[in-house]
């Protein structure tokens, strides 16, 4: 869909401006002065802190959206809609994501999802991705020491305190590699091998089979 009124969301606020008209809220391009107004169809309020939103505070997980004053038009409308149905909102806001954990309640890392996808791509029948116990994908992760108590999806000083030291060690490794293969092969190595191994799907070799 190329209609600017469809799926207005935090990741495209930079290109879509909200305008209030007698006929309701409309959308136009921020970058094209000749862009026509089109009716706002729906908004994707992804990444907001919904509990803070109903308190009157706009907070987003990753983006600074305070620079777009016109976005307040849809934020205010959404906050009003939630407030009018506050009992229903409170009933469901605390529920956990159904597909975010294994059957034993342990959180599924994004890296695990990519490994699972990699196995499927390779033609393996790995079964129910949420199941635990013998013969499951979870058992293979556990056997291969691919389960951790910390969140491996987000890089923070808390879950990776030795980053600077490890970068120094890697730099020494790459210096040695450069001396071994020379300048002609070194850029090719970076473009080919690292492009492959930056994708978690290509690390299925880590999963040991019992």
């Amino acid at each position: 869909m190329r209609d600017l009124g469809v799926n207005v969301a935090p990741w495209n606020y930079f290109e879509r401006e909200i305008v209030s008209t007698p006929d309701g809220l409309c959308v136009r391009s921020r970058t094209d002065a000749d862009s026509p107004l089109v009716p706002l169809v729906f908004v994707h309020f992804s990444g907001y802190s919904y509990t803070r939103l109903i308190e009157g505070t706009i907070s987003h997980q990753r983006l600074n959206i305070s620079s777009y004053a016109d976005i307040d038009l849809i934020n205010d409308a959404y906050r009003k809609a939630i407030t009018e149905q506050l009992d229903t909102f409170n009933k469901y806001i605390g529920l956990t994501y159904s597909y975010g954990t294994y059957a034993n309640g342990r959180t599924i890392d994004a890296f695990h999802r990519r490994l699972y996808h990699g196995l499927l791509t390779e033609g393996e029948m790995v079964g129910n991705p949420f199941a635990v116990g013998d013969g499951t994908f979870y058992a293979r992760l556990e056997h291969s020491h691919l389960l951790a108590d910390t969140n491996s999806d987000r890089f923070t000083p808390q879950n990776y305190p030795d980053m600077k030291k490890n970068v120094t060690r890697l730099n020494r490794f790459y210096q040695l590699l450069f001396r071994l293969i020379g300048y002609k092969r070194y850029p090719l190595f970076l473009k080919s091998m690292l492009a492959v191994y930056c994708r978690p799907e290509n690390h299925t070799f880590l999963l040991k089979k019992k």
Side-chain angles (χ1 to χ4, degrees), residues 113-126 199-202 204:
R113 297 178 187 274
R114 301 283 291 272
L115 285 175
Y116 185 88
H117 179 255
L119 291 175
L120 291 179
T121 302
E122 294 169 5
E124 283 205 41
M125 301 298 292
V126 281
R199 301 185 71 245
E201 289 90 337
N202 295 329
T204 54

Side-chain angles (χ1 to χ4, degrees), residues 97-116 128-133 136-139 141-142 146-147:
Y97 178 48
S98 301
Y99 302 105
T101 60
Y102 295 103
N104 61 2
R106 187 162 195 159
T107 300
I108 300 174
D109 291 347
F111 191 76
H112 297 166
R113 297 178 187 274
R114 301 283 291 272
L115 285 175
Y116 185 88
N128 185 341
F130 308 105
V132 298
T136 62
F137 174 65
Y138 181 89
L141 291 172
E142 189 172 34
L146 289 168
L147 297 172

